[in-house]
Amino acid sequence: EAKDLKNIKQELDKINDKMKLIQSMFWNDINQRAQNTNNTPYEFAEIYRICKNSGMKNEHLDEIMQLSQNLMPVNMRENSVTIKRYFREVLRKMIACRPENIDMKRKRIVMLVGPTGVGKTTTLAKLATHYSIKYRYKVGLITLDSYRIGAYDQLAFYAKKLKLSINAVNDTAEFTKSLDELKYCDYILIDTIGSSQHDKQKLDILKKYANSDYNIDVNLVLCATTKYEDLMDIYNAFGVLNIDTLIFSKLDESKGFGNLFSLVYDTKKPVSYFTIGQEVPEDILVARNDYLADCIINGFSKPSRDEILR
């Protein structure tokens, strides 16, 4: 009886795969008529549609499709699950992530920069809590955003809760003094004022801080819901700050993640963290290429507590 059930399940799986292929053939036929340049085989039509709708740059999608078609054995193409798994692996290998690797041989001064509203202050609070509680490191906080209502208060709340030093600075002289005062810390985290990518004056001010004589790790925080063209526009503008790594925020608010893939692939900058909710410090994840690849193909899924900042 168990054997019969197993055979029935196998037959149902085959029928399900054939149905998916028929649907994909139908979709591909419509797509071919609309755009004659797309020569996607019907076996790959489903995964093509998923990635096309994810916000991925067209040329990147075409490149990955071609790569998958060239490398994937023909006998693996009959199963839609196998095709997705293979495509996921190709995607994963094209996403650069930076391991956390807490290195106590050199001081880490981390600055978060980016547009307004992307969640820099909340992300900084999550990192401060993570470093001070999980690793029990001495953490100091500096804010360059003391004028925005609530920005300093938010950080001050966590500083008090975690018993961390916090300094608000208004110019480069105070900035240098604060860094010297916090030299006993293992980590110094710097919050900055949000700036539009078109506000050259604010970017010039940030440049004076970021490109100082100190070895500062500059993290560009970007919102996952931002379309690719705007992400690239922001990246190019903030590039004057010598960006070291990217942090993608608000993954839990996004439906498509191909835009993030395309930015990473175009800029060749590694991702260091993802934020996946509003809770401090739980909703931050050390960036992993397999996780982003899964989000692109299957949509957002919140990791288990064991996976978060493991």
Side-chain angles (χ1 to χ4, degrees):
E1 187 177 335
K3 188 177 180 181
D4 290 341
L5 286 173
K6 185 178 180 182
N7 290 335
I8 291 170
K9 184 179 184 303
Q10 287 177 344
E11 289 302 316
L12 286 173
D13 286 342
K14 286 181 182 179
I15 293 170
N16 186 45
D17 277 335
K18 286 179 180 177
M19 289 296 293
K20 284 184 177 179
L21 288 177
I22 291 170
Q23 289 173 348
S24 296
M25 287 173 66
F26 178 72
W27 177 87
N28 195 50
D29 183 57
I30 294 173
N31 192 60
Q32 287 278 9
R33 292 176 188 177
Q35 186 180 357
N36 292 327
T37 57
N38 176 21
N39 297 312
T40 305
Y42 68 84
E43 301 98 328
F44 290 86
E46 182 189 3
I47 195 70
Y48 184 92
R49 184 178 70 252
I50 289 170
C51 291
K52 178 77 173 176
N53 293 336
S54 75
M56 187 181 295
K57 195 175 177 184
N58 285 336
E59 64 186 70
H60 294 163
L61 177 53
D62 292 340
E63 185 179 337
I64 300 167
M65 291 301 300
Q66 193 62 53
L67 200 59
S68 298
Q69 291 167 44
N70 291 344
L71 297 176
M72 189 175 187
V74 176
N75 62 350
M76 293 175 65
R77 299 185 183 188
E78 294 181 1
N79 188 303
S80 61
V81 175
T82 307
I83 290 174
K84 276 188 180 181
R85 191 178 298 144
Y86 195 92
F87 195 86
R88 172 192 182 274
E89 188 62 16
V90 174
L91 269 179
R92 185 185 68 80
K93 289 181 177 179
M94 298 172 81
I95 298 169
C97 291
R98 189 178 75 176
E100 195 166 43
N101 289 341
I102 305 295
D103 183 3
M104 296 313 300
K105 292 181 180 178
R106 64 187 183 92
K107 187 189 298 293
R108 291 293 300 276
I109 305 175
V110 178
M111 177 181 283
L112 302 192
V113 301
T116 53
V118 295
K120 291 187 299 299
T121 304
T122 303
T123 301
L124 197 88
K126 290 173 182 176
L127 289 176
T129 309
H130 169 56
Y131 293 145
S132 61
I133 291 181
K134 182 176 180 179
Y135 294 105
R136 298 193 178 281
Y137 290 144
K138 295 173 183 173
V139 178
L141 304 178
I142 294 176
T143 177
L144 310 181
D145 193 9
S146 56
Y147 294 109
R148 184 164 62 91
I149 296 173
Y152 177 81
D153 292 340
Q154 185 182 354
L155 272 187
F157 169 79
Y158 288 105
K160 184 178 180 181
K161 188 177 179 181
L162 298 167
K163 299 179 180 178
L164 307 180
S165 297
I166 179 170
N167 291 357
V169 305
N170 298 309
D171 55 46
T172 52
E174 288 184 4
F175 182 61
T176 301
K177 183 182 177 184
S178 290
L179 288 174
D180 289 337
E181 288 175 357
L182 297 172
K183 62 185 177 183
Y184 68 91
C185 293
D186 301 315
Y187 266 74
I188 300 174
L189 304 180
I190 305 167
D191 192 24
T192 62
I193 188 166
S195 170
S196 161
Q197 65 268 36
H198 307 300
D199 192 334
K200 190 175 183 302
Q201 186 178 1
K202 280 186 181 177
L203 288 172
D204 285 342
I205 293 171
L206 279 177
K207 187 177 178 181
K208 292 177 182 177
Y209 292 105
N211 299 349
S212 63
D213 293 334
Y214 293 87
N215 183 22
I216 298 178
D217 187 59
V218 182
N219 295 244
L220 177 59
V221 184
L222 296 163
C223 182
T225 59
T226 308
K227 63 183 181 180
Y228 165 79
E229 290 79 10
D230 291 334
L231 288 174
M232 182 54 77
D233 191 34
I234 294 165
Y235 173 83
N236 287 334
F238 279 85
V240 297
L241 307 180
N242 295 324
I243 304 300
D244 292 292
T245 185
L246 306 172
I247 296 176
F248 290 125
S249 66
K250 305 184 183 182
L251 266 68
D252 55 310
E253 298 179 16
S254 182
K255 284 188 176 181
F257 300 88
N259 53 334
L260 308 188
F261 169 85
S262 285
L263 184 75
V264 174
Y265 189 58
D266 265 347
T267 63
K268 301 297 185 274
K269 291 293 181 182
V271 192
S272 52
Y273 295 96
F274 300 128
T275 73
I276 52 176
Q278 292 299 312
E279 295 300 316
V280 178
E282 295 87 352
D283 290 338
I284 189 167
L285 181 70
V286 175
R288 303 195 322 268
N289 52 13
D290 59 333
Y291 178 71
L292 183 54
D294 284 337
C295 284
I296 294 169
I297 294 173
N298 302 315
F300 175 77
S301 177
K302 198 162 188 174
S304 65
R305 288 187 66 86
D306 291 337
E307 290 181 282
I308 295 175
L309 288 178
R310 64 188 178 189

